[in-house]
Amino acid sequence: MTMAINNLKELYIAELQDLYDANQQANATVEKLIDAASCPDLKDALKNSIDGTKDGNKQIKSILDSHGEGVGDETCLGMKGLTKEAEKHVLKEEFGDDSVRDAMLISQYQRLAHYAITGYGTVEAFAKRLGDLENAQTLEQCKEQTMEGDLHFTKLAQASINKDAMAA
Ligand SMILES: [Fe+2]
């Protein structure tokens, strides 16, 4: 039995802790996706994503710290499902061509990224409402960094990988 979440401040803390765990789970799966990726630009993008997520978690940890809270021991079941899904589709399925696997990889990666973007958006809004303005700004930056990263994957797909997969 977990403790009740009584107000927006407690919800803010709980969601930061949830996002921290989601980020950790995402990175463990993205490590595996790097090995599965063929396109060198895609591998690089995945490596950058890991760095960005690590940086995000550093920020989340320090925000929790500023409220006298730790990262907690929450397991984010949303990200658990998404990482299982990504690993199933990218690592366990067979593909006739590497480009098709890369296209699948992007489609799965973007689901993880979008989950993180909504997570950041939520805690940013809570931080603003609570007057935790400096941290709100940090969370907005994390959200924007994640969105930029995500857009890069869209560009990779549209510029080459989807085309290669079509020709395969
Ligand atoms: Fe979650």
Side-chain angles (χ1 to χ4, degrees), residues 131-143:
D132 190 15
L133 298 181
E134 206 177 307
N135 287 332
Q137 209 166 24
T138 301
L139 291 165
E140 187 178 4
Q141 283 162 3
C142 290
K143 182 187 72 183

Side-chain angles (χ1 to χ4, degrees), residues 117 141-155:
I117 291 164
Q141 283 162 3
C142 290
K143 182 187 72 183
E144 273 166 12
Q145 187 190 30
T146 310
M147 288 169 78
E148 265 173 46
D150 178 66
L151 189 61
H152 183 59
F153 282 83
T154 299
K155 285 183 181 155

Side-chain angles (χ1 to χ4, degrees), residues 2 13-14 17-18 20-21 24-25 64 70-76:
T2 49
I13 299 300
Q17 291 171 333
D18 187 81
Y20 185 87
D21 178 72
Q24 278 193 320
Q25 289 191 58
L64 283 164
V71 295
D73 58 1
E74 176 68 16
T75 298
C76 173

Side-chain angles (χ1 to χ4, degrees), residues 15-16 19 113-125 139 143:
E15 294 254 321
L16 284 167
L19 183 54
H114 286 210
Y115 190 84
I117 291 164
T118 59
Y120 281 124
T122 297
V123 286
E124 176 199 341
L139 291 165
K143 182 187 72 183

